[in-house]
């Protein structure tokens, strides 16, 4: 079996890929050298290896490569979302597609909490005021930060990332209202309430964040 790891992988990454595949699998990389990013690969860089590959693992891959890859049976798309893929083409070629759902859940969750705290504590504004030597009458309402404690957070989309955000928000003693397409398909987890999309406006009206 031949697998194209379609980015300019480090030795460590290449060893990890090989360790997860059956013994004897031929793991190959694109030709050329990385330019703007080692994850960006052009048609010219990878077509010679892709043409007879059984599987492709990729962060980025031109559609033309999928058209010309004659033996392709599987695509491992290294993203949670697959919106940019041509499903019709891959279906017609009978290519099995796997994504990496949840792989970036912790990073996105922590960034969400970073932004939430930044808004509540007015971090960017206060940094700018210091840079500008702007006097801050911090006890006046127009300048005060807000607590997350005892406030309400609406989490729209209550999948793996949304539920992780809810868990961290509860650690700040927030009330958490979740909204998801199918609330009946799962328990509310760390949220106080979980509603369907029909309650979106109502939930937004109750939320501080």
């Amino acid at each position: 079996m031949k697998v194209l790891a379609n980015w300019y992988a480090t030795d460590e990454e290449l060893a990890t890929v090989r360790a997860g595949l059956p013994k004897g699998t031929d793991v190959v990389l694109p030709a050329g050298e990385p330019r703007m990013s080692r994850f960006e690969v052009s048609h010219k860089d990878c077509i010679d290896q892709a043409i007879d590959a059984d599987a492709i693992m990729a962060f980025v891959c031109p559609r033309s490569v999928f058209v010309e890859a004659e033996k392709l049976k599987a695509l491992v798309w290294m993203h949670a979302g697959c919106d940019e893929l041509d499903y019709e083409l891959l279906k017609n070629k009978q290519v099995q597609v796997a994504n990496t759902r949840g792989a970036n859940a912790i990073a996105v969750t922590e960034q969400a909490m970073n932004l939430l705290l930044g808004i509540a504590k007015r971090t960017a504004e206060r940094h700018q005021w210091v840079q500008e030597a702007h006097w801050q009458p911090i006890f006046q309402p127009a300048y005060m930060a807000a607590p997350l404690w005892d406030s309400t957070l609406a989490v729209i989309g209550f999948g793996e990332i949304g539920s992780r955000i809810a868990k961290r928000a509860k650690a700040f003693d927030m009330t958490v209202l979740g909204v998801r397409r199918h609330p009946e398909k799962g328990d509310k987890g760390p949220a106080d309430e979980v509603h369907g999309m029909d309650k979106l406006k109502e939930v937004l009206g109750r939320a501080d964040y």
Side-chain angles (χ1 to χ4, degrees):
M1 181 170 70
K2 179 178 178 180
V3 175
L4 168 60
N6 201 35
W7 71 96
Y8 296 100
T10 64
D11 291 342
E12 184 179 1
E13 289 169 347
L14 196 55
T16 300
V17 170
R18 285 177 171 147
L21 292 169
K23 190 174 181 179
T25 300
D26 183 20
V27 181
V28 296
L29 299 177
E33 297 291 334
R35 291 174 287 275
M36 291 292 290
S37 163
R38 65 188 185 92
F39 301 103
E40 295 286 340
V41 178
S42 72
H43 180 277
K44 180 181 177 181
D45 293 328
C46 63
I47 191 58
D48 288 346
Q49 296 287 16
I51 198 77
D52 62 345
D54 298 288
I56 294 175
M57 302 174 65
F59 293 89
V60 173
C61 192
R63 180 185 181 278
S64 56
V65 171
F66 299 136
V67 172
E68 296 182 42
E70 298 169 354
K71 295 178 60 180
L72 188 63
K73 303 179 187 70
L75 168 65
V76 179
W77 196 239
M78 308 288 277
H79 301 277
C82 300
D83 297 348
E84 62 268 58
L85 294 177
D86 186 336
Y87 286 117
E88 195 65 29
L89 169 66
L90 295 168
K91 183 178 178 181
N92 288 340
K93 290 175 70 75
Q94 297 184 316
V95 176
Q96 296 289 317
V97 178
N99 64 345
T100 55
R101 179 181 178 184
N104 62 348
I106 292 174
V108 174
T109 299
E110 291 183 356
Q111 177 66 356
M113 295 306 297
N114 172 46
L115 295 172
L116 182 59
L117 281 163
I119 291 168
K121 305 306 175 187
R122 306 180 71 167
T123 306
E125 284 179 287
R126 290 185 168 191
H127 177 68
Q128 185 175 354
W129 293 338
V130 170
Q131 286 186 313
E132 296 172 351
H134 176 86
W135 180 65
Q136 305 164 49
I138 59 174
F139 295 108
Q140 291 186 12
Y143 286 86
M144 291 174 67
L148 295 183
W149 171 83
D150 203 32
S151 62
T152 299
L153 173 67
V155 181
I156 314 303
F158 208 72
E160 186 165 355
I161 293 172
S163 62
R164 286 176 183 267
I165 292 171
K167 180 179 179 180
R168 286 153 179 79
K170 293 303 294 180
F172 284 88
D173 293 323
M174 301 182 79
T175 297
V176 179
L177 310 176
V179 177
R180 66 188 309 171
R181 284 200 184 101
H182 302 288
E184 72 283 355
K185 287 188 176 179
D187 62 42
K188 65 182 183 180
D192 295 279
E193 303 172 20
V194 176
H195 300 278
M197 291 300 295
D198 59 318
K199 299 290 186 180
L200 175 60
K201 287 186 179 180
E202 178 187 325
V203 168
L204 291 176
R206 295 168 58 191
D208 298 294
Y209 301 96

